[in-house]
Amino acid sequence: MSIQKVREYLAAYGAADRIREFDVSSATVELAAKALGCAESRIAKTLSFMLGDRVVLVVAAGDVKVDNRKYKDFFGGKAKMLAREDAERLTGHAVGGVCPFAVNDGVEVWLDESLKRFGTVFPACGSASSAIELTLDELEKFSRAKGWTDVCKPCLAAE
């Protein structure tokens, strides 16, 4: 089970006991915010992409979406989301629980600048009913992120 893998992974950082599990789904930004009682923007959603033969995860604030031009300029290729059926095999986590922890070897993790507005954020922990509150320094350290990027833009309410 993916959440157990994340729990073991975060134990190395002394953070496994901070994982919160819910009786309700937290598989989407909206559901996670409801389960946590926080703003949707503070949910650190993990977006998964194929870039040639690379698997790239971008952790971003819950109120943004990928800007295709920025993504292509930064990564050198078109933003192509992983297919739902490929997510678990390629990242180590199923859709709804994809997170930047305990990912498969070779998966790149990047953190989007959209998160820098917050003191703490809530990424998932490998299941569709879990999250952990982390500072940005903890997120960067625990995710072993390759760095920070700016590949997102605000979601517009009209869209």
Side-chain angles (χ1 to χ4, degrees):
M1 177 176 249
S2 192
I3 189 167
Q4 186 56 36
K5 184 170 72 168
V6 172
R7 189 179 311 284
E8 291 167 8
Y9 176 87
L10 290 176
Y13 296 98
D17 60 339
R18 293 168 49 196
I19 294 173
R20 295 176 61 184
E21 292 188 77
F22 312 109
D23 293 331
V24 296
S25 175
S26 60
T28 67
V29 168
E30 180 182 12
L31 292 172
K34 284 181 183 174
L36 287 157
C38 72
E40 291 183 15
S41 56
R42 289 190 56 216
I43 302 302
K45 64 185 177 183
T46 302
L47 306 169
S48 50
F49 301 94
M50 274 312 293
L51 185 61
D53 60 354
R54 297 161 53 198
V55 177
V56 175
L57 301 181
V58 176
V59 185
D63 62 348
V64 301
K65 64 182 181 179
V66 169
D67 179 307
N68 290 321
R69 168 55 48 204
K70 287 180 172 183
Y71 183 97
K72 187 173 184 180
D73 288 348
F74 184 82
F75 288 109
K78 184 178 178 186
K80 181 181 179 223
M81 296 286 290
L82 283 183
R84 174 179 278 280
E85 59 273 11
D86 295 331
E88 187 169 12
R89 176 176 56 82
L90 294 173
T91 70
H93 304 295
V95 170
V98 176
C99 67
F101 317 115
V103 296
N104 290 345
D105 288 341
V107 173
E108 296 179 28
V109 176
W110 292 87
L111 306 178
D112 188 74
E113 297 279 335
S114 60
L115 297 168
K116 288 189 172 181
R117 298 174 275 164
F118 307 106
T120 62
V121 293
F122 296 93
C125 289
S127 76
S129 58
S130 65
I132 187 170
E133 185 173 13
L134 298 174
T135 66
L136 297 184
D137 288 342
E138 288 173 325
L139 178 61
E140 188 172 10
K141 179 180 178 183
F142 299 175
S143 69
R144 300 180 185 162
K146 292 183 71 87
W148 289 87
T149 186
D150 179 13
V151 296
C152 292
K153 63 184 177 183
C155 293
L156 300 177
E159 291 184 315

